[in-house]
Amino acid sequence: QVQLVESGGGLVQVGGSLRLSCAASGRTDSLYMTAWFRQAPGKEREFVAAIDWSGGTYYADSVKGRFTVSRDNAKNTVALQMNNLKHEDTAVYSCAADPNPGAYWVSTRYDYWGQGTQVTVSS
């Protein structure tokens, strides 16, 4: 089993930055892919970014050039650096992890989820 805990959410103004962190515990050596998803009120959950075990990164078009996903294997953490935030980035952000490769953008493939952290971008 794997446990995921997110931190770092909060309130920020348009154009500002936030850094989210996802701390993993348990059988972390089994994880292949870790991803960030977000869900805004009244909308479906959407893929944001992912990083695989070798450090390969993947991004949604809406965040390319603004968000950066990274991992620290020694600390078992995955971070999401969010710059130049926009009002439409407001959502609950959740990290997810899975031991298998595959369609990283599909939320249903992930076995493990954190509880989520709120990001609110104000104008």
Side-chain angles (χ1 to χ4, degrees), residues 2 4-6 22 24 31-37 45 47 49-51 71 78 93-99 104 106-116:
V2 174
L4 303 174
V5 178
E6 303 96 335
C22 175
L31 299 177
Y32 182 89
M33 187 75 72
T34 304
W36 287 94
F37 287 81
R45 178 179 285 169
F47 169 74
I51 186 166
R71 66 188 308 146
V78 170
Y93 285 69
S94 300
C95 68
D98 196 84
Y104 54 83
V106 179
S107 62
T108 53
R109 62 149 293 189
Y110 288 90
D111 287 346
Y112 307 107
W113 287 85
Q115 82 287 353

Side-chain angles (χ1 to χ4, degrees), residues 54-66:
S54 67
T57 58
Y58 314 88
Y59 296 95
D61 287 344
S62 59
V63 306
K64 279 180 182 177
R66 300 189 297 123

Side-chain angles (χ1 to χ4, degrees), residues 12 14-18 66-67 82-87 89 121:
V12 64
V14 169
S17 299
L18 275 177
R66 300 189 297 123
F67 291 11
M82 305 185 295
N83 298 329
N84 190 22
L85 282 160
K86 304 177 180 180
H87 182 68
D89 294 318
V121 185

